[in-house]
């Protein structure tokens, strides 16, 4: 009897486990394959990592279901009752609907100032993402994409947004009458609020710099309709559900691959001693290896970038063809980190920290507060993870997120305390004491103090090397399709097709960067193999 085809999936994240689940549960395929999932870390989930902080359930990685309408993640969450919990969880109240927006110097900004800028920003983004019909879009957005065009040659979202802001300013000349706040002129404040919104967009996209993010690609990205929610029992419950059908010996933890040998021509050039009936050989860091007929590679784009660059060791042998490595190096992959801070208990009172939006002076300003360093100045908000929680959360992106990974807890506490004190104290009263008095209870001596810190380190973790992918200027959605192409490319290797398949969020053209994108990519590659073996459904 012929040997069963052996399929090895590299990575036990959303993509890998979805593929394994599909291959194992599809009608007629249960006994068709020998199936393994090899995972470099000592847990399953990958960029999904539910944890706990001060008694609350939190997410260190994926946090939101981005639109519940039609989301496969939402369907699993419902089916497994993962949307109900007695324990409090991150963002159980959804997005905060009330913010305090405070500018450096301690000026709380009126809605009459913030709202028009927020509306402008939202309209510009809706237009860029084609969420709205063109007729209903503000003139500003049309102006900058059409008339202004990209004559400047800069096709980034960042450049588009700034052209939109300029157009908005050109359309009104009333800054002088409107007046400013303290040392802030009206125009400078509007720019700083706009910059705060740009910084939120940096965390959504993981683009460290919006001037690096391709404008055209924004229109290809798809969101599901409906509410965005977090998962009460934790994102990991989705992962556990997918893994639950697999026999215990399928998933092997602590097996980090360091070289994948494959046969571009479908056969060995020289006679080798290896079992020629399985064309792929996976080498692990511990010196062991595994032969396979098919490998589904689901490692992050960051791991692929490092694994295809000559300085940091080649993951593939022979190297991937250049059209693949070009796509890998063109696409963007940024670092986004989350910072959790616990407020020190304030007697028996429930903490009442606001959902704080932070507006900082632009970079060249002399008015910048000395105690607020660069790495916190592009962070847009600091908010309780639900109403009255004593746990606050901030998101970091880009080089600020990279810097965060290197800082001690003590330094983080000092800087966030100084920042909050400076923002929440009354205008023009410098912080009174070195240890930061003047809390959020305006004027009273109740201090904002933090007792515990937890930060993520997605950038430096060798199994991830970043957070999620985006389309850079110079890349395009087509590069995601190239990422997804299996090897060897037909017609070469016709005798040994589908040796290396690629799944993972960075292989999905319209849902990249998300858990459901990873899910769809895992299904896609499982189906590719099922079809190849005439197993069934598509
Ligand atoms: C901070 C943060 C917030 C996010 N927020 C959201 C959100 O709100 N909503 C959303 O939809 N998405 C979010 N995402 C993105 C989402 O988490 C990812 O898109 C998705 O989980 C990726 O799944 P994947 O299977 O493609 O990759 P991964 O989860 O990275 O899985 C790949 C696996 O491969 C393993 N691996 C790596 N190298 C090797 C090797 N050499 N050998 C063996 N194994 C290896 C890794 O350990 C990992 O387990 C967020 C991500 C981060 C980091
Ligand atoms: C995942 O969470 C656990 C704690 O819950 C933590 O020890 C581990 O470092 C986390 N891993 C990543 C990659 O965030
Ligand atoms: C803020 O709003 C209040 C009333 O809503 C108004 O009295 C005040 O003048 C506004 N301040 C500025 C600086 O616009
Ligand atoms: C776009 O403009 C910004 C700011 O001027 C610049 O930093 C960036 O490099 C430009 N990008 C391209 C692709 O020209
Ligand atoms: C939060 O605290 C405020 C003030 O103490 C209170 O009015 C509100 O009901 C609290 N909300 C929750 C969800 O506990
Ligand atoms: C939390 O507070 C917001 C308003 O600040 C309110 O709309 C929401 O219902 C509250 N949630 C709970 C669970 O109390
Ligand atoms: C810090 O605060 C404590 C208690 O509020 C106070 O006793 C101490 O003097 C303060 N330290 C400094 C350096 O101001
Ligand atoms: C300050 O504290 C005093 C006494 O604790 C209280 O009566 C007062 O209302 C507080 N003021 C503010 C602005 O919170």
């Amino acid at each position: 009897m012929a040997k069963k085809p052996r399929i090895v999936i590299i990575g036990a994240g959303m993509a890998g486990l979805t593929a394994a689940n599909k291959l194992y549960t599809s009608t007629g395929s249960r006994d068709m394959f020998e199936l393994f999932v090899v995972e470099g870390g000592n847990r399953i989930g990958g960029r999904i990592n539910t944890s706990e902080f001060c008694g609350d359930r939190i997410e260190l990685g994926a946090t939101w279901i981005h639109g519940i309408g039609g989301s496969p993640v939402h369907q699993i969450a419902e089916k497994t009752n993962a949307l109900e919990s007695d324990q409090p969880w991150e963002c159980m109240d959804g997005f905060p609907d009330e913010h305090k927006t405070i500018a450096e110097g301690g000026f709380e900004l009126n809605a009459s100032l913030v709202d028009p800028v927020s509306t402008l920003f939202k309209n510009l983004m809706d237009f860029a993402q084609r969420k709205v019909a063109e007729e209903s879009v503000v003139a500003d957005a049309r102006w900058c994409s059409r008339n202004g065009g990209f004559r400047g040659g800069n096709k980034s979202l960042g450049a588009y947004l700034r052209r939109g802001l300029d157009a908005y300013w050109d359309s009104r000349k009333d800054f002088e009458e409107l007046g400013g706040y303290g040392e802030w002129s009206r125009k400078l404040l509007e720019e700083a609020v706009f910059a705060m919104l740009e910084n939120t967009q940096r965390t959504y996209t993981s683009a460290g710099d919006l001037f690096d993010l391709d404008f055209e690609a924004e229109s290809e990205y798809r969101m599901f309709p409906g509410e965005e929610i977090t998962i009460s029992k934790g994102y990991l419950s989705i992962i556990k559900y997918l893994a639950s059908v697999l026999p215990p010996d399928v998933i092997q933890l602590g097996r980090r691959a360091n070289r994948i040998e494959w046969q571009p021509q479908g056969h060995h050039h020289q006679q080798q001693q290896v079992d020629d009936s399985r064309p792929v050989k996976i080498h692990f860091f511990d010196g062991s290896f595994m032969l396979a007929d098919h490998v589904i590679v689901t490692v992050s784009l960051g791991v692929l970038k490092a694994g295809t660059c000559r300085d940091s060791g080649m993951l593939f042998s022979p190297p991937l063809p250049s059209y693949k490595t070009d796509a890998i190096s063109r696409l963007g992959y940024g670092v986004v980190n989350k910072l959790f801070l616990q407020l020190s208990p304030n007697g028996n009172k429930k903490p009442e920290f606001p959902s704080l939006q932070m507006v900082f002076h632009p970079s060249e300003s002399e008015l910048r507060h000395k105690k607020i360093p660069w790495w916190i100045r592009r962070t847009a908000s600091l908010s309780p993870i639900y109403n009255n929680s004593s746990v606050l959360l901030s998101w970091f992106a880009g080089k600020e997120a990279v810097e965060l990974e290197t800082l001690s807890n003590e330094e983080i506490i000092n800087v966030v305390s100084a920042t909050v004190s400076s923002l929440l104290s009354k205008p023009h009263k410098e912080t009174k004491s070195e240890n930061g008095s003047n809390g959020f209870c305006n004027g009273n001596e109740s201090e904002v103090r933090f007792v515990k810190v937890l930060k993520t380190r997605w950038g430096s973790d060798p199994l991830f090397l970043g957070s999620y992918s985006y389309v850079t200027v110079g890349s395009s959605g087509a590069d995601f399709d190239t990422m997804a192409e299996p090897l060897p490319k037909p017609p070469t290797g016709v005798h040994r097709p589908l040796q290396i398949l690629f799944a993972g969020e960075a292989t999905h053209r319209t849902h990249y960067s998300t858990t459901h994108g990873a899910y769809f990519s895992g299904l896609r590659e499982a189906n590719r193999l099922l079809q190849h073996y005439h197993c069934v459904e598509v």
Side-chain angles (χ1 to χ4, degrees):
M1 204 179 81
K3 271 189 278 189
K4 288 183 193 174
R6 184 185 292 162
I7 302 171
V8 178
I9 298 168
I10 302 186
M14 182 62 109
L17 291 175
T18 302
N21 178 290
K22 179 73 184 174
L23 286 168
Y24 194 76
T25 58
S26 279
T27 346
S29 71
R30 184 169 299 238
D31 294 316
M32 268 288 296
F33 305 113
E34 241 187 275
L35 181 66
F36 294 101
V37 182
V38 293
E39 164 57 49
N42 55 14
R43 58 176 186 89
I44 60 172
R47 281 171 272 170
I48 291 171
N49 196 6
T50 305
S51 189
E52 224 181 69
F53 187 64
C54 310
D56 293 337
R57 188 172 284 128
I58 57 161
E59 303 290 353
L60 300 180
T63 307
W64 296 93
I65 297 177
H66 289 305
I68 61 177
S71 162
V73 174
H74 183 249
Q75 280 159 20
I76 296 172
E78 271 196 320
K79 186 159 71 180
T80 57
N81 291 322
L83 299 175
E84 294 152 25
S85 172
D86 298 328
Q87 186 193 0
W89 71 95
E90 184 175 343
C91 295
M92 58 195 274
D93 308 321
F95 288 108
D97 46 10
E98 277 174 28
H99 304 279
K100 247 187 202 310
T101 307
I102 304 190
E104 191 167 359
F107 304 95
E108 179 165 355
L109 303 183
N110 278 359
S112 67
L113 187 150
V114 177
D115 289 355
V117 182
S118 305
T119 304
L120 168 70
F121 193 87
K122 184 180 177 304
N123 286 338
L124 288 167
M125 284 309 301
D126 282 353
F127 180 77
Q129 296 170 344
R130 307 288 196 275
K131 278 185 190 156
V132 284
E134 207 165 333
E135 314 81 66
S136 65
V137 173
V138 286
D140 314 322
R142 260 207 307 274
W143 179 87
C144 42
S145 86
R146 233 197 250 146
N147 300 336
F150 287 105
R151 241 181 327 214
N154 201 316
K155 296 176 166 24
S156 69
L157 184 78
Y160 156 82
L161 287 172
R162 286 297 164 141
R163 277 196 295 270
L165 180 60
D166 285 339
Y168 170 75
W169 280 337
D170 282 346
S171 72
R172 34 186 290 267
K173 303 277 179 206
D174 54 356
F175 300 114
E176 309 321 319
E177 297 115 73
L178 284 170
Y181 292 59
E183 74 260 25
W184 287 90
S185 76
R186 182 74 174 211
K187 188 171 179 181
L188 202 56
L189 265 182
E190 291 191 349
E191 181 178 353
V193 170
F194 197 82
M196 174 191 75
L197 298 165
E198 287 173 324
N199 285 327
T200 307
Q201 205 60 38
R202 289 167 65 234
T203 65
Y204 291 165
T205 59
S206 102
D209 186 341
L210 295 185
F211 282 103
D212 223 28
L213 184 66
D214 187 55
F215 172 81
E216 262 325 298
E218 282 299 300
S219 65
E220 268 192 19
Y221 188 77
R222 289 285 162 267
M223 291 268 293
F224 290 120
E227 248 191 308
E228 295 185 68
I229 60 169
T230 55
I231 301 176
S232 323
K233 287 208 177 78
Y235 236 111
L236 206 54
S237 55
I238 309 296
I239 291 292
K240 287 183 175 156
Y241 165 79
L242 292 169
S244 65
V245 302
L246 304 172
D249 52 344
V250 168
I251 301 176
Q252 304 186 350
L253 298 179
R255 293 204 87 181
R256 188 172 160 209
N258 69 349
R259 196 154 47 89
I260 302 166
E261 272 182 70
W262 60 295
Q263 299 174 28
Q265 308 305 324
H267 56 80
H268 289 290
H269 282 292
Q270 291 112 22
Q271 279 313 103
Q272 294 185 8
Q273 288 95 321
V274 294
D275 182 353
D276 221 3
S277 68
R278 300 204 198 271
V280 189
K281 186 172 178 184
I282 306 157
H283 298 263
F284 298 95
F285 271 78
D286 63 5
S288 63
F289 69 88
M290 208 178 208
L291 297 174
D293 296 285
H294 310 283
V295 176
I296 306 181
V297 175
T298 76
V299 304
S300 75
L301 179 57
V303 171
L304 286 177
K305 279 177 185 282
T308 50
C309 130
R310 300 214 170 257
D311 303 334
S312 47
M314 303 299 280
L315 188 54
F316 299 93
S317 171
L320 299 180
S322 59
Y323 67 91
K324 277 278 200 189
T325 52
D326 288 348
I328 289 170
S329 69
R330 272 193 302 259
L331 283 169
Y333 183 72
V335 181
V336 171
N337 275 313
K338 297 173 78 170
L339 171 67
F340 295 91
L341 292 152
Q342 185 192 18
L343 284 165
S344 77
N346 177 17
N348 293 328
K349 279 201 293 186
K350 284 222 160 208
E352 276 176 62
F353 197 92
S355 171
L356 180 63
Q357 292 187 321
M358 303 186 283
V359 176
F360 295 109
H361 277 295
S363 45
E364 304 80 22
S365 172
E366 307 241 304
L367 297 163
R368 288 188 147 202
H369 193 297
K370 302 283 177 296
K371 282 193 182 149
I372 306 181
W374 64 273
W375 58 262
I376 203 165
R377 290 180 167 275
R378 295 181 84 189
T379 298
S381 67
L382 177 66
S383 306
I385 58 171
Y386 53 83
N387 285 356
N388 300 352
S389 169
S390 65
V391 176
L392 307 186
L393 165 65
S394 273
W395 291 75
F396 288 74
K399 59 182 197 293
E400 288 80 5
V402 172
E403 179 74 4
L404 182 73
E405 297 190 20
T406 69
L407 302 172
S408 70
N409 288 349
E410 190 190 10
E411 180 162 11
I412 292 172
I413 287 183
N414 287 341
V415 165
V416 178
S417 303
T419 305
V420 168
S421 301
S422 142
L423 289 175
L424 293 178
S425 61
K426 288 228 172 83
H428 299 306
K429 284 189 193 140
E430 280 302 306
T431 323
K432 281 179 211 124
S433 70
E434 284 302 302
N435 59 9
S437 67
N438 269 339
F440 40 87
C441 291
N442 281 335
N444 272 358
E445 289 302 304
S446 65
E447 295 174 19
V448 190
R449 300 194 52 187
F450 301 104
V451 290
K452 213 173 157 199
V453 185
L454 178 64
K455 61 170 192 277
T456 60
R457 286 198 187 89
W458 295 105
S460 50
D461 190 322
L463 292 171
F464 303 98
L465 298 174
S467 300
Y468 33 93
S469 60
Y470 64 94
V471 181
T472 59
V473 178
S475 177
S476 78
D479 280 336
F480 290 117
D481 291 341
T482 304
M483 293 283 301
E485 282 178 26
L487 292 171
K489 196 183 171 102
T492 52
V494 66
H495 304 297
R496 298 283 181 201
L498 304 181
Q499 291 173 39
I500 309 182
L501 300 90
F502 294 86
E505 56 83 12
T507 68
H508 199 287
R509 183 163 181 159
T510 58
H511 288 298
Y512 57 90
S513 83
T514 64
T515 56
H516 55 267
Y519 178 93
F520 288 139
S521 75
L523 272 192
R524 180 191 65 218
E525 297 312 313
N527 279 327
R528 202 191 293 277
L529 288 170
L530 290 171
Q531 268 184 298
H532 177 68
Y533 287 101
H534 308 292
C535 276
V536 257
E537 60 223 83
V538 183

